[in-house]
Amino acid sequence: MPTLGNPTNTIAVLQKYNFNFQKKYGQNFLIDTHILEKIIKESAITKDDLVLEIGPGIGTMTQYLAENAREVVAVEIDKNLIPILRDTLSAYDNVTVLNEDILKVNISKIAEEKNQGKPIKVVANLPYYITTPIIMGLFESHVPLDSITIMVQKEVADRMQVGPGTKDYGALSLAVQYYAKPEIVANVPPNCFMPKPKVGSAVIKLSRYENPPVSVKKEAFLFALIRASFNQRRKTLVNGLANAGLGITKEQITEALEKMNLSPSVRGEALTLEQFAELSNILYL
Ligand code: SAM
């Protein structure tokens, strides 16, 4: 049975080890058992699964994961948490804690060694200062992935889920939706954490597509196009892309938009993923 996940036991562990929160590592520990149970349910972990946890903190969610998964690999950057994790996870023999920076870990190698290269599940209450690099790193490095179930800032969860025509729509929405089906499964208020974050949070599940919903000649070119379109958000697509150093001229872009029945003054934020894919296939030579 998990022993953590409520304020009393969390405070007891923090006091026992005289632990000081490090702001720079985005440390907000979960103290709500309902949210922990919800995350476990939505991530659909079974005893067949290898789970990668990013940032176990004092091991609260790790205990829940260890109960439900076959094996858990938890990557924690803060060396002061390692002795605490040794203690709070001592009842579990299916957890490996790595004292590393997740952005420098070779996750494919872990999947290869511990899961015979089969898709793994990622579950985490993410450190918010590196949410986007973590997600993009997981997708772009082509780690074998089944799903990613993560706590993120509410606003970032919204950005991953929306389509064109909203202010939150951008490069992150398109990148996530190219690789996975996003679904917000819970909204989580600040009082579920210790210390309380300044912003609201949400749990979002990203279920990896076997094949992306659109097909492109060159993935890297699609993403270069998307990034360039949103870097210059207020410019029309024609001006934004012509100045982006991609080697495409205004004439080529205007011609491509015409072929797609789009106005020459259209902005990137109006295009769907399908339209970006079509544009990239026309412009990629
Ligand atoms: N999972 C715990 C929980 O839910 O109570 C802690 C979540 S806390 C929001 C984020 C955790 O990520 C912290 O323990 C922090 O030290 C760790 N962390 C921050 N940056 C990291 C990085 N680059 N690599 C690995 N862990 C990191």
Side-chain angles (χ1 to χ4, degrees):
M1 277 288 284
T3 55
L4 295 171
N6 61 60
T8 313
N9 293 359
T10 302
I11 291 169
V13 169
L14 297 175
Q15 283 179 346
K16 179 174 172 192
Y17 287 90
N18 210 357
F19 180 77
N20 290 314
F21 288 102
Q22 298 231 43
K23 224 177 173 177
K24 67 170 177 184
Y25 288 146
Q27 293 176 338
N28 300 97
F29 298 163
L30 267 168
I31 49 165
D32 186 301
T33 50
H34 293 115
I35 298 294
L36 286 153
E37 280 157 14
K38 176 84 176 156
I39 293 172
I40 296 300
K41 178 170 165 261
E42 295 294 344
S43 59
I45 295 167
T46 71
K47 280 286 170 195
D48 284 337
D49 287 319
L50 173 74
V51 174
L52 170 70
E53 186 189 10
I54 299 161
I58 60 169
T60 308
M61 192 150 72
T62 326
Q63 292 187 340
Y64 285 77
L65 294 170
E67 299 265 349
N68 290 279
R70 187 191 80 238
E71 197 173 347
V72 181
V73 176
V75 179
E76 174 56 59
I77 198 169
D78 186 352
K79 66 173 180 351
N80 294 330
L81 287 166
I82 305 304
I84 302 182
L85 288 163
R86 210 168 288 135
D87 181 358
T88 59
L89 300 174
S90 60
Y92 301 99
D93 61 2
N94 60 344
V95 180
T96 309
V97 174
L98 303 176
N99 185 199
E100 310 249 11
D101 176 349
I102 189 65
L103 297 178
K104 296 186 182 144
V105 172
N106 185 341
I107 302 167
S108 294
K109 197 164 158 230
I110 294 175
E112 194 52 57
E113 287 174 2
K114 293 195 176 278
N115 212 37
Q116 293 92 47
K118 291 197 304 277
I120 63 167
K121 287 182 176 154
V122 176
V123 183
N125 170 14
L126 285 185
Y128 293 172
Y129 73 105
I130 43 169
T131 301
T132 304
I134 290 176
I135 296 172
M136 293 319 297
L138 284 167
F139 284 138
E140 284 174 354
S141 60
H142 292 273
V143 172
L145 276 179
D146 174 90
S147 61
I148 307 177
T149 308
I150 41 176
M151 179 87 71
V152 297
Q153 229 174 293
K154 167 78 176 115
E155 186 205 319
V156 178
D158 288 339
R159 264 195 266 154
M160 289 189 233
Q161 212 186 227
V162 293
T166 57
K167 71 165 179 28
D168 288 332
Y169 186 59
L172 182 66
S173 330
L174 285 154
V176 164
Q177 291 165 30
Y178 177 79
Y179 290 109
K181 180 170 78 68
E183 188 191 353
I184 294 178
V185 293
N187 286 315
V188 185
N191 61 8
C192 294
F193 302 88
M194 185 180 294
K196 284 185 200 172
K198 289 202 178 67
V199 292
S201 303
V203 180
I204 188 163
K205 180 171 187 183
L206 309 175
S207 306
R208 180 83 154 96
Y209 291 128
E210 222 161 284
N211 296 303
V214 295
S215 74
V216 287
K217 290 181 191 160
K218 182 94 178 160
E219 228 171 64
F221 184 69
L222 169 70
F223 286 114
L225 212 60
I226 290 172
R227 264 193 298 273
S229 307
F230 287 96
N231 268 345
Q232 320 227 355
R233 217 182 162 104
R234 280 165 306 145
K235 289 196 176 166
T236 62
L237 208 52
V238 174
N239 286 330
L241 293 181
N243 294 328
L246 294 171
I248 346 173
T249 64
K250 278 190 181 184
E251 291 67 35
Q252 286 171 312
I253 304 161
T254 312
E255 205 176 300
L257 292 177
E258 211 168 288
K259 240 191 221 170
M260 294 171 63
N261 289 324
L262 289 170
S263 151
S265 63
V266 74
R267 289 173 212 271
E269 63 201 26
L271 265 62
T272 62
L273 175 61
E274 289 69 24
Q275 287 170 318
F276 269 112
E278 190 180 348
L279 183 65
S280 94
N281 285 339
I282 297 173
L283 292 174
Y284 186 75
L285 300 172

